Amino acid sequence: MMTTLIEPDIAASSREIAPAHREIALFLDFDGTLVEIAPSPDDVRLDRRVAPALTALRAQLGGALALVSGRPIGFLDGVLAPHRFDIAGLHGAQIRVDDEIRSQADTHEGMREALRDLVRFANSHVGIIVEDKRISVALHWRLAPALEDEALALMRGIAARMGPGMRLQEGKSVAELVPAGASKGSAIAWLMATPTYAGRQPVFIGDDITDEDGFEAVNAMGGVSVRIGADRESHATCRLASPTALRHILLEAAESGHLSAASFKQD
């Protein structure tokens, strides 16, 4: 169940189609977008210039900048400290705006049993990593690619057992059990209905299958969707080659004081 403290008019924001000249609202994924994908979740390294640049860009955008990630808010705060941002964490299962948690999903009653089964699997297979996020749980097999079929079968079985309150979110060498009502697309729509973001043109940048509903959401709002990498088909309307290419754009924009949707449309 999603406990919502403040409920903006999401439908109204979805009806607004943004003309090209409007100021943007910037939404950024983290893994594979602001940082390179790492062998394990704890190995990511953020370029020390990025957080100050995001702070400068947030000021330029009137506060309309948020991270939209599968990571918990607490993890992102730690990596970005002392800088703090609006965040939709755990694929939208938790949302913080202006330093206040505005929406938070409840923990599924079957999560403890699911976690137990996943830890048992990881303990008996080298290279499998379980990432316990309390509200959600992820199983990683990047270090054990031969186990993909077995890992997916386990996660699909657990998802079926947990029922309609949870859904399985598959990504690059990872599968995650998340609250059924949470998605990056719904999180972006939620944020676009709040005063700071409303009326702007949404721009969402991500790299994975988990970002596709976010791309679809911003496309429906007349926004710009940007996928990092060219490894698969996507709903994104633009592409950037790598997190390095994105960092170059963000750092340059922070220095020049100019960022628009066109900044991400490269030939």
Side-chain angles (χ1 to χ4, degrees):
M1 177 182 296
M2 183 76 77
T3 302
T4 303
L5 302 181
I6 297 177
E7 194 68 51
D9 185 357
I10 293 175
S13 70
S14 300
R15 290 192 299 266
E16 294 178 1
I17 304 300
H21 65 274
R22 277 163 63 184
E23 293 292 325
I24 67 170
L26 182 60
F27 302 100
L28 297 160
D29 177 39
F30 183 74
D31 292 279
T33 300
L34 287 179
V35 298
E36 302 285 351
I37 294 290
S40 71
D42 294 331
D43 291 336
V44 296
R45 295 292 180 268
L46 180 68
D47 186 314
R48 61 181 177 80
R49 300 170 296 172
V50 168
L54 293 181
T55 295
L57 292 173
R58 185 173 190 257
Q60 291 175 27
L61 297 174
L65 183 152
L67 275 68
V68 181
S69 170
R71 296 280 196 166
I73 288 175
F75 173 86
L76 295 170
D77 280 346
V79 172
L80 294 159
H83 304 269
R84 286 172 70 86
F85 303 94
D86 292 345
I87 297 176
L90 301 180
H91 304 281
Q94 52 181 197
I95 301 176
R96 184 183 70 201
V97 178
D98 295 331
D99 269 338
E100 179 184 351
I101 297 294
R102 302 291 186 92
S103 182
Q104 174 99 6
D106 297 328
T107 301
H108 191 284
E109 60 183 9
M111 185 61 75
R112 181 176 295 182
E113 183 180 1
L115 184 61
R116 182 196 64 202
D117 292 348
L118 294 176
V119 169
R120 183 184 296 122
F121 179 71
N123 286 342
S124 59
H125 295 84
V126 176
I128 296 293
I129 298 172
V130 177
E131 187 181 6
D132 180 11
K133 306 179 185 180
R134 307 303 178 188
I135 297 172
S136 68
V137 61
L139 189 69
H140 299 261
W141 56 86
R142 183 169 298 279
L143 299 175
L147 294 172
E148 178 175 3
D149 290 345
E150 192 172 352
L152 275 174
L154 174 62
M155 289 294 277
R156 288 168 180 167
I158 294 173
R161 183 181 74 205
M162 295 180 80
M166 299 292 284
R167 66 178 177 86
L168 187 61
Q169 177 74 70
E170 299 179 17
K172 295 176 180 176
S173 300
V174 62
E176 185 168 354
L177 293 161
V178 300
S183 74
K184 292 185 178 182
S186 61
I188 290 171
W190 196 100
L191 287 163
M192 284 297 296
T194 63
T196 298
Y197 297 84
R200 290 173 173 264
Q201 183 181 28
V203 175
F204 175 49
I205 306 173
D207 75 302
D208 203 351
I209 300 169
T210 60
D211 301 308
E212 289 296 327
D213 59 9
F215 297 150
E216 291 186 83
V218 300
N219 291 345
M221 289 184 277
V224 175
S225 52
V226 184
R227 184 176 175 114
I228 303 293
D231 55 331
R232 67 180 72 223
E233 292 185 0
S234 174
H235 291 98
T237 57
C238 302
R239 299 270 186 167
L240 290 174
S242 65
T244 300
L246 174 62
R247 286 195 298 272
H248 176 76
I249 292 170
L250 297 176
L251 293 172
E252 185 177 80
E255 183 175 352
S256 69
H258 177 71
L259 184 69
S260 69
S263 303
F264 304 102
K265 298 177 180 180
Q266 298 191 347
D267 296 330

